[in-house]
Amino acid sequence: QIDGKETLIELCTLIMFTGSAQHAAVNFGQYTYYGYVPNAPCGLRRPPPTKKGADYQDLMNCLPGKHTSFLFISTVYILSQHSPDEIYIQQFPTERFTEHKVQRHIHRYKKVLDDITGDIEERNKTLDMPYRWLLPSCVPKSITI
C-alpha cells in the first residue's frame, strides 16, 4: 500500500532500478559468460563425471552437441546486445525538460553519473576483465527487446 510520499519514492526507485541498472547488470554480460558453453551449458547429454580422473572426452560427451550449442550461443548473443535506438540513463531530451528547476536537477543527476563513471573506470583499471555493464553509458533507461 502506498501510504505517503516516501513509500511512493521507494516504489518508483525500485521500478526504475529494476528496469534499468539491474537489467543491464544481469543481461548485457550474459554472452561474455554463456558464450563459452562449458561455463554454463544449456543442457547436458548425460550426467557429468563424478569421479576423479575424468578426461577431456568424458567432459565433451556430457556437453550439448554443436547444433544445440550454436542455437544457445546465438540466442544469448542476440539477447545481450544493445538496441540501436537505445536511450541511456544519462541521456535527456532537453526539448522535453525546459524548466530551470528541472534542468538543475538533471545537471546534478548527470554529475552523480559522471562520478559513478569515474569510479567504475578507475576500478576497471585494476581488473583483467573490466566490468562495464553498469557504466551509465551502458545502462538503458528501460528494457528493450
Side-chain angles (χ1 to χ4, degrees):
Q1 179 177 346
I2 300 173
D3 55 4
K5 183 178 176 182
E6 290 304 315
T7 307
L8 179 61
I9 290 170
E10 206 172 300
L11 180 62
C12 289
T13 302
L14 177 65
I15 291 168
M16 288 185 282
F17 174 79
T18 303
S20 62
Q22 184 179 33
H23 181 261
V26 172
N27 185 66
F28 296 115
Q30 288 185 90
Y31 181 72
T32 303
Y33 186 76
Y34 295 122
Y36 179 63
V37 174
N39 275 346
C42 58
L44 295 176
R45 292 187 286 182
R46 61 179 64 159
T50 57
K51 296 180 180 160
K52 288 186 178 187
D55 63 12
Y56 175 79
Q57 195 55 50
D58 293 329
L59 177 62
M60 294 307 292
N61 289 338
C62 298
L63 294 176
K66 290 178 186 176
H67 180 73
T68 303
S69 295
F70 171 76
L71 292 175
F72 175 67
I73 291 170
S74 299
T75 302
V76 169
Y77 177 79
I78 290 166
L79 290 174
S80 64
Q81 298 303 299
H82 287 271
S83 175
D85 58 351
E86 203 93 73
I87 298 173
Y88 299 93
I89 60 173
Q90 87 281 16
Q91 294 175 310
F92 286 88
T94 53
E95 69 276 359
R96 294 187 190 148
F97 303 103
T98 57
E99 299 86 355
H100 181 68
K101 184 177 180 180
V102 175
Q103 287 290 325
R104 274 197 336 263
H105 288 294
I106 289 172
H107 179 74
R108 190 173 68 207
Y109 177 70
K110 286 182 174 183
K111 171 73 173 103
V112 169
L113 294 178
D114 288 344
D115 292 344
I116 290 170
T117 297
D119 291 345
I120 293 171
E121 288 174 346
E122 230 9 77
R123 190 175 312 126
N124 279 344
K125 289 178 184 176
T126 67
L127 303 175
D128 292 332
M129 184 177 212
Y131 186 84
R132 59 187 188 91
W133 311 119
L134 287 179
L135 282 167
S137 61
C138 294
V139 177
K141 281 191 175 182
S142 64
I143 299 170
T144 57
I145 295 179

